[in-house]
Amino acid sequence: MTQTQSITHLSCFIEAVAIAKQNKCCNCDDLKAQLQQRGYEELVAMETVEELSPQLPLAS
């Protein structure tokens, strides 16, 4: 993974946590869609949601 890719993934992860905290009933599909709407590639959004999904109930 290049430095640019890792920065993008980190940025996406941080934004995903913020979205999950703001939207208490956010599910994985909604979170992925919101990340894509904010300009993240589908693969980056999908990987981020997969990593975050076990903690989604805790983030809200």
Side-chain angles (χ1 to χ4, degrees), residues 30-57:
D30 288 343
L31 182 56
K32 181 182 160 199
Q34 287 185 43
L35 290 169
Q36 288 180 285
Q37 287 173 351
R38 293 178 186 215
Y40 293 101
E41 295 177 10
E42 182 178 2
L43 180 62
V44 173
M46 183 178 65
E47 289 175 349
T48 300
V49 171
E50 283 178 12
E51 289 287 326
L52 190 59
S53 62
Q55 287 91 26
L56 279 178

Side-chain angles (χ1 to χ4, degrees), residues 17-33:
V17 170
I19 291 169
K21 283 185 166 278
Q22 287 178 342
N23 304 318
K24 295 188 180 190
C25 53
C26 186
N27 65 41
C28 291
D29 291 332
D30 288 343
L31 182 56
K32 181 182 160 199

Side-chain angles (χ1 to χ4, degrees), residues 7-19:
I7 290 171
T8 300
H9 279 77
L10 179 59
S11 173
C12 186
F13 189 85
I14 292 168
E15 194 149 2
V17 170
I19 291 169

